[in-house]
Amino acid sequence: MSRLLHRDGAPPVPASELFVTSADGSRIHVELYGPEDAPAVVLAHGWTCNTHFWAAQIRDLAADHRVIAYDQRGHGLTPEPGPGGYSVDALADDLEAVLAATLAPGRKAVLAGHSMGGMTLIAAARRPGLREHAAAVLLCSTGSGRLTAEATVVPLRPSGFRTRLTAAVLGAKAPLGPVNPVSKRILKYAAMGAGSAPDRVDTCARIVHACPRRARVGWGQVLAELEVTAEIHELRVPTAVIAGTDDRLTPPVHARAIAAALPVGLGLTELAGTGHMTPVEAPEAVTAKLRELTTRYVATTGATGANTAATSEKEDVA
């Protein structure tokens, strides 16, 4: 599978790449950027995206941070899972595998998740791996449940019919087709603010359209039924929340509920006029929050604090 290059510019060449093995044997593709002994940031992307979704953050942070970005199963360079491989537990398993392979025991990092990536962090809140390695968390444009009930992509009043129709859209098996002016208008309406710059709409369209259909459908079906609200109370590390006021996929009602329920909440930042794709639509705001969290909660570890497995080129890690 070829790596996508988009007009907004690809991230810098990774210092190293590797595949880590998750609990069910799935191989998860991971990219590492920046100095090995710098404060660490781990980035988990959302549904239908890949590591290039974080390009702006990687370009900025890699100068003085150890940036760890991975492709969720079925996305980017991570192969599609086998039967039964689409589940909330699988998301948490994969995150734990990435943390164990790229961070030395006890090494802390800021963990950031967008959309399904944020749901991944919430789902893993009780996991020993997250509790060992998370110094702080950033949740971007995400929710913990009732995703189809609250989404406003379908322009109807709230009702059972709208909820069912939204679930059908998430699990639709029809191909997305080529990236063209019509498909970009559709994506912009569904996932981005009305004032989004054309180059950023193009970036998101090319990333989303590159997602394999089976992964898009499989995860869409999981998201339609997702419920991890109880896990928010287990996320016992300092956690900041970012949301776009014009987000149709995970409207701000989700972010407000999460921010109110967090045990160690750092507040909610609502970005006026921004849609669902906050790291691309408002890269400066997301990157600034990540820098704020690493400055406050993560100390430089020194070279001995990095896992030696993360320095080898394109290797498999069990």
Side-chain angles (χ1 to χ4, degrees), residues 10-37:
V13 176
S16 59
E17 297 177 69
L18 59 150
F19 284 87
V20 305
T21 303
S22 192
D24 65 352
S26 294
R27 296 169 68 248
I28 310 301
H29 174 252
V30 186
E31 299 170 357
L32 300 103
Y33 301 85
E36 192 174 2
D37 60 351

Side-chain angles (χ1 to χ4, degrees), residues 239-303:
T239 301
V241 183
I242 286 179
T245 61
D246 293 355
D247 186 344
R248 289 186 171 92
L249 288 172
T250 53
V253 62
H254 292 291
R256 294 166 191 156
I258 290 171
L262 287 166
V264 193
L266 299 177
L268 165 62
T269 301
E270 294 194 32
L271 303 173
T274 302
H276 184 66
M277 303 299 213
T278 42
V280 174
E281 292 181 74
E284 298 84 359
V286 173
T287 303
K289 183 60 68 173
L290 287 169
R291 283 191 171 277
E292 176 187 326
L293 293 175
T294 57
T295 299
R296 186 172 178 184
Y297 296 105
V298 183
T300 302
T301 62

Side-chain angles (χ1 to χ4, degrees), residues 5-307:
L5 297 178
H6 49 75
R7 295 177 188 176
D8 199 34
V13 176
S16 59
E17 297 177 69
L18 59 150
F19 284 87
V20 305
T21 303
S22 192
D24 65 352
S26 294
R27 296 169 68 248
I28 310 301
H29 174 252
V30 186
E31 299 170 357
L32 300 103
Y33 301 85
E36 192 174 2
D37 60 351
V41 174
V42 179
L43 304 174
H45 68 74
W47 180 49
T48 72
C49 295
N50 58 51
T51 60
H52 277 206
F53 187 78
W54 298 103
Q57 287 70 45
I58 293 170
R59 284 195 296 267
D60 186 295
L61 294 173
D64 52 1
H65 288 72
R66 185 63 160 177
V67 182
I68 300 160
Y70 71 99
D71 287 319
Q72 301 268 24
R73 54 176 62 195
H75 297 74
L77 298 182
T78 293
E80 296 175 34
Y86 293 104
S87 71
V88 174
D89 284 341
L91 293 174
D93 287 342
D94 297 349
L95 174 65
E96 279 201 300
V98 170
L99 296 176
T102 59
L103 298 171
R107 183 177 180 182
K108 298 293 186 179
V110 169
L111 312 186
H114 169 261
S115 190
M116 190 174 80
M119 298 164 200
T120 300
L121 302 185
I122 296 171
R126 300 175 189 263
R127 297 294 187 98
L130 183 138
R131 293 187 172 180
E132 176 182 2
H133 293 293
V137 164
L138 177 60
L139 301 174
C140 300
S141 307
T142 195
S144 62
R146 291 180 51 82
L147 300 180
T148 56
E150 300 290 357
T152 59
V153 173
V154 177
L156 298 173
R157 292 183 178 181
S159 66
F161 175 72
R162 190 186 76 171
T163 297
R164 292 190 296 274
L165 191 55
T166 302
V169 170
L170 289 181
K173 297 181 180 180
L176 294 182
V179 175
N180 57 37
V182 173
S183 64
K184 286 191 281 189
R185 282 197 296 272
I186 293 171
L187 180 128
K188 182 178 180 180
Y189 165 78
M192 304 182 76
S196 297
D199 62 325
R200 293 179 180 179
V201 175
D202 184 77
T203 291
C204 288
R206 293 180 183 280
I207 290 173
V208 169
H209 281 243
C211 180
R213 177 166 49 174
R214 282 186 295 183
R216 173 171 54 83
V217 173
W219 286 119
Q221 293 171 343
V222 171
L223 295 180
E225 303 295 330
L226 179 133
E227 179 51 66
V228 292
T229 301
E231 304 304 313
I232 298 170
H233 302 283
E234 301 298 326
L235 197 55
R236 300 171 186 170
V237 295
T239 301
V241 183
I242 286 179
T245 61
D246 293 355
D247 186 344
R248 289 186 171 92
L249 288 172
T250 53
V253 62
H254 292 291
R256 294 166 191 156
I258 290 171
L262 287 166
V264 193
L266 299 177
L268 165 62
T269 301
E270 294 194 32
L271 303 173
T274 302
H276 184 66
M277 303 299 213
T278 42
V280 174
E281 292 181 74
E284 298 84 359
V286 173
T287 303
K289 183 60 68 173
L290 287 169
R291 283 191 171 277
E292 176 187 326
L293 293 175
T294 57
T295 299
R296 186 172 178 184
Y297 296 105
V298 183
T300 302
T301 62
T304 58
N307 191 319

